Structure formats: C-alpha cells, structure tokens
Amino acid sequence: MLSRLARPAAAAAALRRGLATTAQNNAKVAVLGASGGIGQPLSLLLKNSPLVSRLSLYDIAHTPGVAADLSHIETRANVKGFLGPEQLPECLKGCDVVVIPAGVPRKPGMTRDDLFNTNASIVATLTSACAKHCPEAMICIISNPGLDPARVSVPVIGGHAGKTIIPLISQCTPKVDFPQDQLEKLTGRIQEAGTEVVKAKAGAGSATLSMAYAGARFVFSLVDAMNGKEGVIECAFVRSEETESPYFSTPLLLGKNGIEKNLGIGKISPFEEKMVAEAMSELKASIKKGEDFAKNFK
C-alpha cells in the first residue's frame, strides 16, 4: 500500500507517463496526392495507425470522398479532405509529417524520364507550399525503389532507376549467399521491379499498393524516431558526401530531427563496388537534370 506522501508522487509519475504517451501518439500527418493509386491505400494504412491523431488528405480531385470513406474506420485519427490548391495551406497547417505520393503513373513503354518534368513540377509546387505553411514538418517524397520476408532486410543504395538501384545483398540480414548467376538475376529483378509491375498491369496502373506500404512503413519509422525511439534505420535518397554523387541513397539513422546520421555504404562486395561505379554517370546526369529544373522552376 502507498503512503500518503507516495501517492501524489506516484500519481504525478503516472500522469507524466500518460502525457508522454499522448504526445508520442499525436502525429499530424498530411498525404498530398491522397486520391491516387498509392495515396488511397497509403492513407488507409496511416488511418489504421495509433501513432496518427490527425490525417489531412489533399489532391486535386475526389479527396472529400476518400476522407469520408476512411472516416468510417474506427480508429482515433481524425480525417479531413482538402481539395485543390486553394485548400492546400489549410491542409498543411500544423503538420508534423507530410507524405507526397503525388504524380502521374507510368504506362507501358514509358520510362521514368518521360514523366520527369510533369512529376517534378508537382513535387516542387507541393514542397514549396510545405516550406511556407509547415516549415518544421518532416517531408517524405515517395519514389520507386526462401526466408520469411518480414524478417529480411536488404539495404538498397544509389538512386531510383535502372542500374542506379543497387541492392546490397552482401549486407542482407540474415546472411545469404548466392552463386554469381543467381545474384545477377536477382539484382536485375530488384532493379526492374517497378517495370515488372507496370507490364503485369498492362496499362491499368503501376506499382501502387507495394509503394503505399513502403511509404507507410517509412512514415511509421520516422514518427517512431521523432518520438524518441532509438536505432531506427531506413534507406532514403538524400544529399550525401558518401560518394562522388551529390545525392545518394544509403541507410540513415533517424531521430527527433529527421536524419541523425548517414550510416554510409559500409563494406560491400566487388560485384556491388562495380555496380556503384557503373551507376555514377547516370546518377549524376539525373541529378544535374533535377538541379537544373529546380534552378529554373518558378
């Protein structure tokens, strides 16, 4: 039994724990492009999370309907839809995390480069709005990137297209080992995973469901890290000094302020070293194209 003096102290401690739990589960998240093929299932996954208290959905069409649909799910996140550029500022106000799956999907025969100007313009406009209306928010931009799959982790470094996508199978956990021919085949399939889905859907869409899952996973990791969870690591394409490329995807240690530390490439196999070297010219050309676009964007 608690003494009279101990009771208030215990009650205060319990209250602090309760307040801490409440704060940690109060993430205000916006999804920009919430009506699209990735945006809708991504919003569903976020609505289902106890980490999210407010879910703001934005798109140029259909968001009130998507929000109304999701609002019938019996989880705590308050959902509201915002429609068109004039409602974007209100959508972003007070957000802790902004996820951007917005853009035009690829169709068979199209390369990612074919979509560059359209999708880059969309993302540039949305991130400019974020800088103005929620400058402290974390921004997550979604782009295509024999064991229990849930227990397998393979860092994917480099870039976003073709040979710039470099899966570090040598760093896979748990440890795996493949003959060279199988390794090359598996690597190629990972690099062309998005194209594989585009072809399989035969013009009806691109890799949306798996991308939505990946986006939700990253958001949950980021919110956990912002809440103080330690040891949260995810790969992302960021400004980097790890290679001669000014931007490069590597494992990142996430924390309260976003990126706490770039963990770099680490030890890799000769096969992977060759892939990194071969990716550089294409990666740097893609980055230059993006930087030139940003300089001229108005």
Side-chain angles (χ1 to χ4, degrees):
M1 181 178 290
L2 294 173
S3 69
R4 285 188 176 181
L5 290 175
R7 283 175 184 166
L15 179 59
R16 285 195 298 272
R17 286 197 297 272
L19 289 173
T21 301
T22 301
Q24 289 173 359
N25 293 333
N26 266 342
K28 299 175 181 65
V29 181
V31 180
L32 310 186
S35 298
I38 297 173
Q40 289 198 46
L42 171 59
S43 299
L44 171 63
L45 292 166
L46 295 173
K47 174 68 170 98
N48 201 42
S49 172
L51 293 169
V52 179
S53 65
R54 191 185 84 188
L55 188 58
S56 301
L57 308 181
Y58 171 82
D59 215 319
I60 58 174
H62 310 308
T63 33
V66 175
D69 195 353
L70 292 178
S71 71
H72 291 284
I73 297 171
E74 71 279 18
T75 56
R76 65 189 295 265
N78 181 39
V79 185
K80 187 173 181 180
F82 297 87
L83 193 63
E86 65 281 356
Q87 294 187 7
L88 181 57
E90 184 62 24
C91 172
L92 295 173
K93 186 177 179 181
C95 283
D96 302 307
V97 178
V98 179
V99 198
I100 305 179
V104 177
R106 275 199 301 157
K107 297 187 181 299
M110 295 177 71
T111 66
R112 290 184 175 90
D113 200 52
D114 293 332
L115 299 177
F116 176 79
N117 285 325
T118 299
N119 287 344
S121 296
I122 293 170
V123 172
T125 299
L126 295 175
T127 51
S128 295
C130 292
K132 184 175 181 180
H133 300 291
C134 56
E136 299 300 316
M138 303 293 180
I139 301 175
C140 307
I141 301 171
I142 295 179
S143 61
N144 295 342
L147 298 164
D148 178 359
R151 298 182 181 276
V152 175
S153 176
V154 181
V156 180
I157 66 169
H160 170 58
K163 67 182 182 182
T164 71
I165 300 171
I166 305 168
L168 298 183
I169 296 174
S170 70
Q171 294 183 12
C172 179
T173 53
K175 186 74 175 174
V176 295
D177 188 32
F178 296 101
Q180 187 64 24
D181 60 334
Q182 291 185 28
L183 180 62
E184 292 177 3
K185 184 177 180 180
L186 180 59
T187 298
R189 189 176 179 202
I190 293 171
Q191 291 175 328
E192 295 299 322
T195 301
E196 180 179 288
V197 177
V198 169
K199 288 179 179 177
K201 289 191 174 182
S206 58
T208 53
L209 298 174
S210 53
M211 291 288 288
Y213 171 80
R217 168 182 153 162
F218 192 92
V219 170
F220 297 151
S221 292
L222 179 59
V223 173
D224 277 339
M226 291 166 67
N227 286 339
K229 183 177 179 180
E230 296 182 352
V232 179
I233 297 171
E234 293 285 356
C235 290
F237 187 71
V238 297
R239 184 178 289 277
S240 171
E241 297 180 355
E242 298 300 318
T243 68
E244 62 189 82
S245 173
Y247 292 85
F248 202 80
S249 176
T250 46
L252 307 172
L253 178 65
L254 302 178
K256 292 184 178 181
N257 299 309
I259 301 171
E260 291 292 329
K261 184 178 180 181
N262 191 325
L263 300 180
I265 296 174
K267 184 179 179 180
I268 60 177
S269 69
F271 174 68
E272 291 160 351
E273 289 177 354
K274 185 171 182 286
M275 283 196 294
V276 171
E278 290 176 346
M280 280 300 150
S281 60
E282 182 177 328
L283 191 54
K284 287 193 286 188
S286 296
I287 291 168
K288 185 178 185 304
K289 183 176 183 180
E291 289 177 334
D292 290 343
F293 174 89
K295 290 176 184 176
N296 298 318
F297 180 78
K298 297 178 180 179

